[in-house]
Amino acid sequence: MRLIRPMWREAWLICRKDLMIERRARITLGQIVPTVLLILVVFAFAFDANVSLLGAGAGGLYWVALLFGGVLGAKRSFDIEAEGGNLDALRMGGLEPGAVLWGKAAALAAQLAVIGAATVAGLLILYSVTVDDWLLLVVAAVTGTGAFAVCATVYGAMTVGLRSADTLLPLLLIPVAAPVLLAGTRAFDVALGNSADQGWSWTALLAVVLVTYIAVGWAAAGPLLEDA
């Protein structure tokens, strides 16, 4: 317990640092969220304001928006550290690699939560969707957001410093995040009343995926950040 407690304290410091940088830069609120809302508007025009089609695709659009935010957020999170040798400074400062990884994942999860809340609001207003099961919607969103954040952070650390990171990160991340997209969309379809499937079973699958990503991240944190 004595070994674990300092690591989580260090993770909180990394998380707070990243959130302070985000608060000053306002990338999430000023750029990513407006882009996501604009995408929702474009889809509304593409489907010719067909309410049934828009409602049927609302769940999938939410998770695509979250994936979009996860790719951009993870890339920027490690770009900040790569500039000026900040990542080397963190390593030389004696911080646990796991603390750096989990701190960044927590900060990214907070940013994705903002993107997700804005997306849900956009779906409710623009697409006139109704929520049949708010509890299922919230639990699935929280679990899937955590899975996205951990997965995106791991692959962000893997591609940091590479010249082709802009295209390599989404190329690596999207296939691995496919289970979250699938399970999250199915759970949202049930929560929004578009399906009679077992929504909690899909949410349980999201939880399994989250635990799996955490285990992989825990094992890979040291090698990833030592080679970054």
Side-chain angles (χ1 to χ4, degrees):
M1 191 67 180
R2 292 180 180 177
L3 295 176
I4 295 176
R5 189 176 301 169
M7 189 190 73
W8 290 114
R9 189 177 298 129
E10 293 172 357
W12 163 244
L13 292 176
I14 296 295
C15 176
R16 187 174 65 176
K17 174 187 71 70
D18 281 11
L19 290 178
M20 289 178 64
I21 293 173
E22 171 56 32
R23 186 181 65 180
R24 294 174 182 174
R26 298 185 183 277
I27 299 298
T28 299
L29 287 176
Q31 298 181 24
I32 298 179
V33 168
T35 302
V36 168
L37 295 179
L38 184 60
I39 291 173
L40 295 183
V41 173
V42 170
F43 267 93
F45 280 112
F47 287 113
D48 198 23
N50 188 312
V51 176
S52 60
L53 284 177
L54 293 176
L61 282 175
Y62 173 90
W63 292 102
V64 170
L66 213 64
L67 177 63
F68 173 76
V71 171
L72 294 182
K75 177 68 171 58
R76 180 172 178 274
S77 176
F78 282 98
D79 281 348
I80 293 173
E81 306 299 353
E83 295 175 0
N86 291 342
L87 196 57
D88 292 331
L90 290 176
R91 285 196 294 256
M92 294 176 63
L95 293 177
E96 289 285 339
V100 177
L101 191 72
W102 301 128
K104 288 192 166 296
L108 180 58
Q111 296 172 51
L112 290 178
V114 173
I115 297 171
T119 304
V120 169
L123 293 174
L124 292 175
I125 296 172
L126 298 174
Y127 290 11
S128 300
V129 299
T130 56
V131 180
D132 289 352
D133 192 338
W134 275 103
L135 180 61
L136 174 61
L137 185 84
V138 172
V139 173
V142 170
T143 308
T145 297
F148 262 136
V150 174
C151 185
T153 303
V154 169
Y155 279 89
M158 186 183 300
T159 58
V160 63
L162 298 179
R163 292 182 178 179
S164 57
D166 290 337
T167 54
L168 186 59
L169 178 57
L171 185 63
L172 293 174
L173 180 59
I174 291 174
V176 179
V180 181
L181 289 170
L182 173 61
T185 299
R186 294 295 181 269
F188 264 49
D189 284 343
V190 176
L192 297 176
N194 296 327
S195 172
D197 205 349
Q198 296 294 324
W200 288 106
S201 297
W202 289 107
T203 305
L205 177 58
L206 282 174
V208 172
V209 173
L210 172 60
V211 172
T212 303
Y213 288 167
I214 290 175
V216 172
W218 195 286
L224 281 177
L225 294 178
E226 286 176 3
D227 296 336

